[in-house]
Amino acid sequence: MFHPHGKHLIAGQWVAGSDHFPSSPASGESYDFSVGRVADVNAAVEAAEAAFAAYSSTSRAERAAFLHAIADEIEARADGITAIGSQETGLPEARLQGECGRTTGQLRLFAEHILQGDYLDRRHDKALPDRVPLPRPDLRMVQRPIGPVAVFGASNFPLAFSTAGGDTAAALAAGCPVVVKGHSAHPGTGEIIAEAILAAVERCKMPAGVFSLIQGGNRQVGAALVQHPLIKAVGFTGSLGGGRALFDLCAQRPEPIPFFGELGSVNPMFIFDEALNARGDDLAKGWAGSLTMGAGQFCTNPGIAVLRAGPEADRFIDTAAAALAESPAQTMLTDGIAQAYRDGQRRMAGVEGVREVLATDSQARTATPFLYTTDAQNWLSNETLSGEVFGPLGLVVTVADMDEMRAVAHSLEGQLTCTMHLDDGDSETAAPFLPILERKAGRVLANGFPTGVEVADTMVHGGPYPASTNFGATSVGTMSIRRFLRPVCYQNIPEALLPADLRDDA
Ligand code: NAP
């Protein structure tokens, strides 16, 4: 069993703090962790900047080998990672084993992706010395790494989207050093992953400042990190409130920097008539399964189902309620998230015109499902009903007709996903929805459930605000690497001085 020592990792050194905070595991022993100080943040960021020149000029092959080495070192510690991860977060061991594979798979996918070189989007406008009235200079463009990146991992993916998760893998693949602000929900998991990254740094002889982990314990750490003048971008997954606070700090800096925040989403599903009539029971059961998966703690949890009022809708609601009622109480990631779930549930229950279909007894750090229903007019006039409740809570919104369903679609805020359930006979009715939904979400799906985000070249995990703070980006998939690059044009620069990726023999 892995026993954390509780120190920060700053540029290859384990550094103890003077104050400590205890971890709050769902089960097992609690350990003390060093509270992050502004001095620790400064030391880590300065080391990251010192490492930048060397790391950003490594070859793509060297960085790919480094990403593979991190994956290997994580695999070498897989049992310890699963054990502490499961204790800290309450997520089942099987889930964490799967997530470990997703983490290493992601690192290796990014390694292979940068080797191909397409992500550099290299362009060359050759010199036209004889052009009249003016000659054209030689112009070349390539994407270059931006500098040290700050990463705030997700509480709900302690491996795949935390310390060595998507943001870290993307920044390292791009050629940027990383400073991670450890998530207080899984500090020991963060530590063992940092140990794996350190082993890879040493094995691949990378500069020590390429990776640091500062544990939290107070909000000063995150604020100091995003405000540090040497940090050039931030990757964040978390709440709308926390993300917005840090986004605002980034925008207020003397030099504002991009904040790539993945925040909340209710991921609405639109169920069209033919599909509802033909397979309403299956859809209701499938929805219940998706809503309760991982105690509903998925950013892509489909919290709202929109469908036409009538006997088929009533049956859908009854079937979903029966399926949800069978779901056992599940442990949530933290006491705070469990409390926020109950607060959100009470908020929804308190809205006039909302009918409680299934009420359960959610206690302490566990979550049990809730199901509510309301009509479209009530939903459209109550902002509370469109907010995310992070957990296994569903809301069915019934519409009188398709005009009302379109009104619901039009009024949505930005989402990570929107889903349509449709059969062949629904195509004509559903067609006008796609142009609406593609303006609302980063990913639009048909006949599936949005939980389960493929790590792939085509994936977009993002969307208009508040789903994310930057609608042009994704935090999942190989396109996420682009967040930590910026285009530079080189005009008449002699071949020998160009970045290696731009030379004629690259
Ligand atoms: P959170 O409270 O926003 O925390 C996220 C991280 O930011 C933590 O490291 C936290 O530090 C830090 N932080 C938050 N507010 C801060 C502030 N004002 N100043 C400095 N640092 C701050 O979110 P969470 O509890 O981890 O996650 C639950 C929420 O995440 C849910 O509401 C869900 O909607 C959202 N979520 C979104 C996605 C997505 O992909 N869009 C995925 C998963 C979860 P501490 O460690 O000290 O708390």
Side-chain angles (χ1 to χ4, degrees):
M1 176 67 194
F2 172 72
H3 296 282
H5 49 59
K7 296 175 185 168
H8 312 293
L9 174 63
I10 303 179
Q13 304 297 319
W14 292 104
V15 176
S18 39
D19 296 327
H20 293 85
F21 69 95
S23 61
S24 307
S27 63
E29 212 175 323
S30 164
Y31 297 95
D32 280 348
F33 289 85
S34 298
V35 172
R37 301 164 295 200
V38 174
D40 299 319
V41 170
N42 292 344
V45 177
E46 281 158 24
E49 174 64 19
F52 181 70
Y55 187 63
S56 63
S57 54
T58 51
S59 69
R60 284 178 280 129
E62 286 168 323
R63 289 202 300 287
F66 179 40
L67 295 174
H68 277 291
I70 296 173
D72 295 344
E73 295 292 345
I74 288 174
E75 272 166 5
R77 292 164 179 77
D79 290 345
I81 291 170
T82 302
I84 186 128
S86 181
Q87 285 191 4
E88 288 190 326
T89 62
L91 294 170
E93 290 204 352
R95 150 76 198 270
L96 284 170
Q97 280 157 356
E99 200 183 315
C100 199
R102 186 184 169 110
T103 311
T104 54
Q106 186 165 251
L107 286 157
R108 292 184 175 124
L109 176 71
F110 287 10
E112 296 313 307
H113 185 75
I114 59 170
L115 284 177
Q116 287 165 20
D118 299 351
Y119 78 103
L120 294 167
D121 192 12
R122 286 173 280 209
R123 298 166 190 219
H124 189 181
D125 290 313
K126 291 197 171 138
L128 298 174
D130 301 328
R131 191 179 70 173
V132 285
L134 288 172
R136 184 170 80 183
D138 185 82
L139 297 166
R140 298 180 199 224
M141 192 284 293
V142 72
Q143 302 284 336
R144 297 292 294 149
I146 54 174
V149 169
V151 169
F152 292 70
S155 55
N156 60 343
F157 279 93
L159 304 176
F161 293 97
S162 189
T163 313
D167 287 342
T168 298
L172 292 178
C176 298
V178 169
V179 179
V180 170
K181 144 66 178 77
H183 201 296
S184 51
H186 52 260
T189 315
E191 182 181 310
I192 189 170
I193 294 284
E195 190 185 283
I197 299 176
L198 175 59
V201 168
E202 289 169 349
R203 233 172 83 188
C204 298
K205 301 194 173 22
M206 288 294 168
V210 74
F211 178 82
S212 293
L213 164 72
I214 309 294
Q215 298 285 7
N218 66 45
R219 290 281 153 98
Q220 254 188 327
V221 183
L225 185 55
V226 303
Q227 289 178 299
H228 197 293
L230 295 173
I231 287 291
K232 295 301 173 197
V234 182
F236 173 96
T237 303
S239 67
L240 179 55
R244 182 65 202 232
L246 293 169
F247 169 86
D248 288 343
L249 288 179
C250 288
Q252 287 156 12
R253 289 167 42 129
E255 180 202 0
I257 53 167
F259 178 87
F260 298 101
E262 297 306 323
L263 313 177
S265 183
V266 285
N267 307 296
M269 302 192 315
F270 294 84
I271 305 178
F272 293 95
D273 293 348
E274 298 264 331
L276 180 65
N277 297 343
R279 48 194 173 92
D281 282 355
D282 288 346
L283 288 173
K285 287 178 198 161
W287 185 41
S290 187
L291 262 182
T292 50
M293 194 190 294
Q297 301 168 117
F298 283 107
C299 40
T300 50
N301 202 31
I304 292 184
V306 189
L307 72 185
R308 192 196 289 268
E312 296 301 335
D314 295 343
R315 186 178 163 137
F316 174 92
I317 292 166
D318 290 346
T319 309
L324 287 169
E326 283 174 19
S327 172
Q330 295 180 71
T331 306
M332 296 201 91
L333 294 160
T334 65
D335 294 330
I337 288 176
Q339 188 55 46
Y341 174 58
R342 280 191 289 277
D343 292 346
Q345 174 264 316
R346 282 191 207 106
R347 242 188 342 265
M348 186 161 296
V351 175
E352 205 174 318
V354 169
R355 180 169 72 85
E356 193 166 74
V357 183
L358 176 71
T360 51
D361 189 19
S362 204
Q363 296 285 345
R365 193 160 159 174
T366 63
T368 47
F370 287 81
L371 183 64
Y372 297 93
T373 181
T374 194
D375 63 35
Q377 289 311 318
N378 198 42
W379 188 83
L380 287 165
S381 56
N382 276 292
E383 221 177 297
T384 312
L385 299 179
S386 56
E388 181 194 31
V389 181
F390 195 61
L393 181 147
L395 174 67
V396 177
V397 179
T398 54
V399 299
D401 51 31
M402 287 301 127
D403 285 345
E404 226 174 52
M405 194 183 264
R406 265 200 302 279
V408 170
H410 267 299
S411 75
L412 289 171
E413 296 186 301
Q415 303 289 332
L416 292 169
T417 70
C418 287
T419 301
M420 297 187 289
H421 289 285
L422 71 167
D423 280 358
D424 287 348
D426 292 312
S427 290
E428 208 174 307
T429 322
F433 279 79
L434 194 58
I436 304 172
L437 299 182
E438 71 183 13
R439 294 188 67 192
K440 301 290 183 181
R443 179 163 56 110
V444 185
L445 319 61
N447 295 332
F449 295 97
T451 35
V453 183
E454 188 72 25
V455 181
D457 290 339
T458 44
M459 182 47 63
V460 176
H461 188 69
Y465 187 85
S468 87
T469 51
N470 190 310
F471 59 65
T474 173
S475 65
V476 179
T478 51
M479 212 164 49
S480 67
I481 298 170
R482 284 291 292 266
R483 295 174 300 167
F484 305 121
L485 297 162
R486 67 183 184 83
V488 179
C489 174
Y490 299 84
Q491 182 170 335
N492 282 344
I493 302 290
E495 169 88 10
L497 299 189
L498 285 170
D501 282 327
L502 261 189
R503 290 184 206 143
D504 288 338
D505 58 358

